[in-house]
Amino acid sequence: MALMITDACSECDACLSECPTHAITSGRPYRIDPEKCVECVGFYDSPQCVDMCPVKNCIVPDPSHPLA
Ligand code: SF4
C-alpha cells in the first residue's frame, strides 16, 4: 500500500512538505518509504504528493507494495 517515485523526478521538492506521514526523503532519487506511505488514506481524498508533483506520471503505485 504505497506509491513510488520514478526516474522522471526533477527533484523540485514540491512533494516533501505535503506528505502527512513524512514518508518522502529527498536525494537522488527521491524516495517514498513503503512502510510509512498510506496513499494518504485517512488524511486526504487523494495522494498529496501526486497532486503536488508537476511531472506527469512521476509518482506511481509501487508494484512491490500493492493495495491490501
Ligand atoms: Fe505521503 Fe500520501 Fe504520497 Fe504516500 S501518497 S508518500 S502518504 S503524500
Side-chain angles (χ1 to χ4, degrees):
M1 191 174 181
L3 301 185
M4 59 180 284
I5 298 173
T6 69
D7 291 344
C9 175
S10 66
E11 300 162 23
C12 73
D13 267 357
C15 62
L16 268 186
S17 62
E18 303 301 328
C19 178
T21 62
H22 306 286
I24 304 171
T25 52
S26 60
R28 289 192 174 190
Y30 273 46
R31 187 173 176 275
I32 293 175
D33 183 341
E35 299 301 321
K36 291 183 178 177
C37 177
V38 295
E39 299 192 13
C40 286
V41 173
F43 293 96
Y44 300 101
D45 291 336
S46 60
Q48 294 301 287
C49 54
V50 176
D51 289 353
M52 297 301 162
C53 182
V55 180
K56 190 172 172 34
N57 297 326
C58 177
I59 304 174
V60 298
D62 184 344
S64 300
H65 297 86
L67 280 172

